[in-house]
Amino acid sequence: MSESHENIEKLYNLGIWPQDPESSFVKKRYSEALANFKKLIEHEWFREILNRKNSIRILEICSGIGVGGIALAKVLKEFGKNVELTLSDVRESALRIGEKWGSEELGEKVSIVNINALLIHKLRIKKDIVLMYGFSSPHFSPWEYVKLLASISEVLEDDGVLVLEEGDRIYSIFFRVGYKELLVERTEKEPIISLHSDYNPIKGIFERTYLNLLNPKNPVKVSIYFWNIAELMTLVWLFFQDVDFLPYDEKKSRGLIIGYRPRNKIKPKDLDYEPKILKNIKE
């Protein structure tokens, strides 16, 4: 993840995406996640896991407060499975909320790990399911995303499954709306705007500055990559034996990407350096 954890913390503290489990925003997201995962466990690859295992280990990366991980664990528990849930994120404040909320919702302890997702393989753990729920891919450039998938593959069992909740930004942003140099992000309580700052063609990332108009002295600059579904699925296919997609809508612009059984051909150590082109940028 190219962003520092301080920057990510500042971004979420703006309140664009509420973190309170009692808020209407989180309640709606949680309800949607429960419905999505009830459909997901009907997928043949999940049926294989459910038929083979009574205890299922889930790791949610970029979890925030754990809306996705807690919902998936809830659905699997209702299906009669023992579930071990671990939430991981660079934001410790969000993890503490998820730890308390998840433990109350599931009736058992939820583990948390404060770590950059690119380094998750260094924990030397093994999981049956790795989940990234909440459209988090824009935090990673393509150069970082291959490292992310290598790290995830190292964590998964040989018969493990990756689940990504994702949307197609080329369709939803560039085609339907058009990229905006200035965008109003939130107006309910405080006026939050984002402004185009820069574009890096080598990394493919846009930089946007988020600003609370009531507190303009504390802007937050964030790097964003506008992924589409095809790009993400192609990269997942390179690291997994098969890939599938469960769309939320008829346009198939949002939904769940599923990676089936990691290939384990490219290891995190194989990508543990920067290619010359990226070094040249820094120089």
Side-chain angles (χ1 to χ4, degrees), residues 228-264:
N228 65 42
I229 294 294
E231 289 173 320
L232 290 167
M233 289 193 294
T234 301
L235 288 180
V236 171
W237 188 37
L238 288 177
F239 285 85
F240 287 79
Q241 295 177 27
D242 209 345
V243 61
D244 204 356
F245 182 60
L246 298 183
Y248 290 169
D249 53 34
E250 291 183 2
K251 290 289 185 182
K252 298 184 179 180
S253 62
R254 290 159 55 96
L256 300 175
I257 297 172
I258 313 169
Y260 179 62
R261 294 178 177 260
R263 295 182 189 271
N264 290 316

Side-chain angles (χ1 to χ4, degrees), residues 4-109:
S4 67
H5 70 272
E6 292 90 356
N7 246 25
I8 294 293
E9 192 77 61
K10 287 179 182 178
L11 176 64
Y12 279 85
N13 283 342
L14 289 174
I16 300 171
W17 307 281
Q19 304 291 286
D20 180 2
E22 293 302 314
S23 69
S24 59
F25 176 86
V26 173
K27 285 183 176 180
K28 180 181 179 183
R29 282 287 292 154
Y30 184 60
S31 176
E32 290 172 345
L34 290 171
N36 292 336
F37 291 137
K38 285 176 182 177
K39 296 176 182 176
L40 178 67
I41 64 170
E42 296 298 323
H43 192 280
E44 59 184 294
W45 298 339
F46 263 78
R47 281 292 172 181
E48 285 185 20
I49 293 177
L50 296 178
N51 289 337
R52 288 197 310 269
K53 300 181 178 183
N54 289 321
S55 296
I56 299 175
R57 297 159 296 171
I58 303 170
L59 169 66
E60 184 177 12
I61 61 173
C62 303
S63 68
I65 64 173
V67 170
I70 295 168
L72 180 56
K74 183 85 169 179
V75 169
L76 291 174
K77 282 175 68 70
E78 290 175 353
F79 200 79
K81 300 298 179 181
N82 299 316
V83 181
E84 175 189 295
L85 174 62
T86 301
L87 305 178
S88 72
D89 200 283
V90 294
R91 295 184 297 126
E92 185 174 2
S93 60
L95 289 172
R96 293 298 178 189
I97 295 172
E99 180 182 33
K100 181 176 184 297
W101 175 39
S103 298
E104 292 172 353
E105 183 70 12
L106 300 175
E108 57 187 56
K109 181 176 174 55

Side-chain angles (χ1 to χ4, degrees), residues 101-153:
W101 175 39
S103 298
E104 292 172 353
E105 183 70 12
L106 300 175
E108 57 187 56
K109 181 176 174 55
V110 170
S111 300
I112 59 173
V113 181
N114 185 204
I115 191 172
N116 188 319
L118 297 175
L119 305 176
I120 202 73
H121 62 281
K122 293 192 174 183
L123 296 177
R124 300 188 182 281
I125 56 177
K126 284 293 182 181
K127 301 294 180 179
D128 303 299
I129 300 168
V130 170
L131 171 70
M132 188 161 76
Y133 195 84
F135 309 102
S136 297
S137 290
H139 289 309
F140 302 91
S141 74
W143 300 98
E144 293 170 322
Y145 214 86
V146 291
K147 292 186 177 185
L148 177 66
L149 291 172
S151 190
I152 290 171
S153 297

